[in-house]
Amino acid sequence: MTRFDSISTLNGSRCNWKIKVRVIRKWDTYIPPMKQFKGTNLILLDDNHSRIHAFIYPSTVENLARQFEEGNVYIIQNFYVKDYILMPSKRQTNNFNRQDNTRVTQEDDDGLIEQNVFDLYDVSDAARLKKDDLFLIDIVGVVTDVQLLYHFTNRHGHDQCKLKFKITDGR
């Protein structure tokens, strides 16, 4: 069985990382006003529900970024991670960066990595979250009919849990 590193353990100490991830978001960044291309961004998710923001510089976009499609699962090997702090929020995050021998292999979807992941917050936190310019927030509705947390073993023998609830806008 192939061993993969968890996104949550990535740091700048080495560059021989090997992760299995799903691309849950992909977008290009442009600098206004001339719309100069700055690079391609990816949000990667692993089977532990850990996420990382990956950035691919313009010089390597043709070789690397075009390999990625939103929703697909990949094994990525031999890359480095650097810490950076975004102003003004001062939120520290990790940034995945390519090196010359980075390898990307598309994998069949075995269902172990979720299609999406969301963070749910109480509406009273919206004012605080609005001040953090790293992530967009969207108020969808009110959570109702929360059921008990259900633990089970999936078809691959992995322990999982499920929480069912409804989100309503009041209608």
Side-chain angles (χ1 to χ4, degrees):
M1 181 173 176
T2 305
R3 171 99 173 103
F4 299 104
D5 298 298
S6 173
I7 287 174
S8 64
T9 64
L10 299 179
N11 59 53
S13 68
R14 59 189 179 104
C15 59
N16 62 336
W17 300 104
K18 183 177 183 180
I19 58 176
K20 183 176 180 181
V21 294
R22 181 182 306 278
V23 176
I24 59 172
R25 301 290 180 272
K26 178 183 175 183
W27 72 96
D28 291 335
T29 300
Y30 296 89
I31 302 172
M34 303 302 291
K35 298 202 183 238
Q36 177 187 359
F37 179 67
K38 182 170 173 147
T40 298
N41 297 270
L42 306 169
I43 302 295
L44 307 175
L45 175 68
D46 69 14
D47 61 351
N48 293 319
H49 298 119
S50 296
R51 289 170 279 184
I52 192 168
H53 176 195
F55 184 75
I56 302 171
Y57 291 95
S59 59
T60 58
V61 163
E62 286 301 319
N63 298 349
L64 191 61
R66 307 272 183 257
Q67 295 180 41
F68 293 105
E69 287 186 37
E70 249 182 48
N72 288 345
V73 175
Y74 299 90
I75 293 176
I76 306 171
Q77 301 178 73
N78 303 324
F79 58 91
Y80 67 95
V81 176
K82 73 175 185 178
D83 292 335
Y84 69 98
I85 298 175
L86 292 176
M87 301 295 183
S89 70
K90 307 266 195 258
R91 174 179 282 207
Q92 185 169 340
T93 58
N94 289 323
N95 193 11
F96 158 101
N97 290 274
R98 178 197 182 277
Q99 62 180 25
D100 288 338
N101 61 343
T102 297
R103 290 191 324 214
V104 176
T105 309
Q106 186 174 345
E107 289 289 301
D108 291 333
D109 189 351
D110 57 11
L112 295 178
I113 303 175
E114 299 292 334
Q115 294 287 329
N116 282 292
V117 64
F118 301 95
D119 295 319
L120 300 177
Y121 293 94
D122 193 279
V123 73
S124 65
D125 292 330
R128 179 182 54 82
L129 294 168
K130 181 180 169 188
K131 293 177 184 172
D132 185 345
D133 65 351
L134 185 58
F135 297 107
L136 296 174
I137 65 169
D138 191 8
I139 298 176
V140 176
V142 177
V143 175
T144 63
D145 299 331
V146 179
Q147 298 179 6
L148 293 175
L149 188 63
Y150 172 67
H151 295 272
F152 65 98
T153 303
N154 70 17
R155 64 187 170 131
H156 301 289
H158 292 70
D159 291 331
Q160 289 187 297
C161 57
K162 180 184 343 184
L163 178 68
K164 287 188 175 186
F165 56 88
K166 292 181 182 175
I167 298 179
T168 178
D169 64 1
R171 285 185 267 176

